[in-house]
Amino acid sequence: MLIPLRAHADILLPAIQEAIRQGGARGGATRPFLEVLEAWGEDALPALPDLLPLLADSWTALHVVRVLQAIGTAAAPAAPALRTCQVLDYPGNHSFVASTAAYITMDREARLRMIGDAVTATEEPDYRQIGALAEFGSDAAPHAHRVRLAMENSTDYSRLSAAITLWSITGRTEPSIHVLEEFVVPVATGGDSYGFFRDTLQALVRMGEITPAIRAALLTIHQLDRRLSTEGGYPAILRDDELRGLIELALACGDTDSRETC
């Protein structure tokens, strides 16, 4: 319920900060509040001092890293704590922390060089490494082949992330859009991977193009008499509204008469 209230962040933040301070890293409400702060992006900056202690606990560290990434370069004062944060010992976690530290402190060229080197040097790049290249568009062209290989040899979110990144680098919808089909069509036949579905819809809106199979699936999904969410209560209503709005945008952007408005 709080995520859509970003416009009122200045009023709501003090209470959220106090709840985080009281609960600490293991508090039951801390991680959900971190998800709110991530969604609020730069407007969450005043909470930065209360986030830094949470980097010392692996239970909350990666959630805080995502908040820092959402805040952007204004979170640069957090870089020293970020570089020593505690995460589970997994290569993808370490690269995510390093790339976020670079994102909030380095200039664009330095970030691209660091992320590109990591993708090139890793046999199986983490989806977050691949996804980070999308920010650079055609400037990341030297890594397009590596991204395409990742797309062709991975599954689930890694495959989706690579497909979206490949499109952002090349500007060509093929072959990415057919990978995106894989995350739309199953929802029309009862699938409930709504997180993948949301990211796919957002990408389709940016692309401004859909395939006939995607159009048919979206029309079916839009007519489903059920919430497009695995959550309960009011969060289910919010997620359903969000996805249905994205479906309408994707359908409109896939219409050649409407693309100039997308």
Side-chain angles (χ1 to χ4, degrees):
M1 291 185 287
L2 287 170
I3 287 175
L5 299 178
R6 179 174 178 173
H8 307 284
D10 57 335
I11 298 172
L12 297 169
L13 266 175
I16 293 176
Q17 291 174 251
E18 179 61 23
I20 289 175
R21 284 194 295 268
Q22 292 295 324
R26 301 284 170 159
T30 298
R31 293 211 311 196
F33 278 136
L34 292 176
E35 293 178 17
V36 174
L37 297 182
E38 180 186 356
W40 286 359
E42 292 181 0
D43 291 329
L45 179 61
L48 190 61
D50 299 302
L51 300 180
L52 299 186
L54 305 181
L55 288 168
D57 193 309
S58 61
W59 181 250
T60 49
L62 288 178
H63 289 74
V64 174
V65 174
R66 285 193 282 270
V67 176
L68 297 179
Q69 194 170 69
I71 292 174
T73 55
L82 179 57
R83 293 190 178 98
T84 60
C85 77
Q86 299 299 309
V87 296
L88 296 179
D89 191 15
Y90 171 68
N93 290 342
H94 298 305
S95 66
F96 179 47
V97 171
S99 64
T100 300
Y103 176 70
I104 65 176
T105 59
M106 293 181 180
D107 61 33
R108 188 174 186 273
E109 183 177 345
R111 292 200 309 272
L112 173 57
R113 183 166 56 251
M114 190 202 74
I115 296 169
D117 288 348
V119 168
T120 301
T122 306
E123 184 175 348
E124 294 184 8
D126 181 81
Y127 74 87
R128 287 172 295 210
Q129 293 173 313
I130 293 290
L133 286 174
E135 169 196 352
F136 302 97
S138 60
D139 289 340
H143 308 289
H145 179 66
R146 189 70 185 86
V147 172
R148 180 163 184 154
L149 287 178
M151 181 187 75
E152 293 172 346
N153 295 283
S154 59
T155 58
D156 297 328
Y157 197 72
S158 293
R159 181 165 166 80
L160 175 60
S161 180
I164 295 171
T165 298
L166 183 63
W167 165 76
S168 74
I169 293 173
T170 66
R172 297 191 295 270
T173 57
E174 298 287 355
S176 295
I177 198 165
H178 290 291
V179 173
L180 269 57
E181 278 185 7
E182 300 170 14
F183 298 90
V184 174
V185 174
V187 178
T189 56
D192 60 0
S193 296
Y194 297 120
F196 291 162
F197 185 50
R198 178 185 58 191
D199 290 349
T200 301
L201 288 172
Q202 290 172 337
L204 290 170
V205 170
R206 295 197 300 273
M207 287 182 179
E209 184 175 331
I210 57 177
T211 65
I214 290 176
R215 174 177 291 279
L218 291 181
L219 289 172
T220 297
I221 296 166
H222 200 258
Q223 295 175 13
L224 292 175
D225 188 21
R226 59 179 170 82
R227 297 285 185 199
L228 302 178
S229 173
T230 57
E231 301 167 290
Y234 191 58
I237 296 174
L238 293 175
R239 176 56 58 86
D240 182 71
D241 286 347
E242 177 190 18
L243 292 180
R244 291 185 184 278
L246 286 170
I247 288 171
E248 291 173 0
L249 283 174
L251 287 169
C253 289
D255 184 341
T256 54
D257 294 331
S258 305
R259 284 184 191 173
E260 63 182 25
T261 65
C262 298

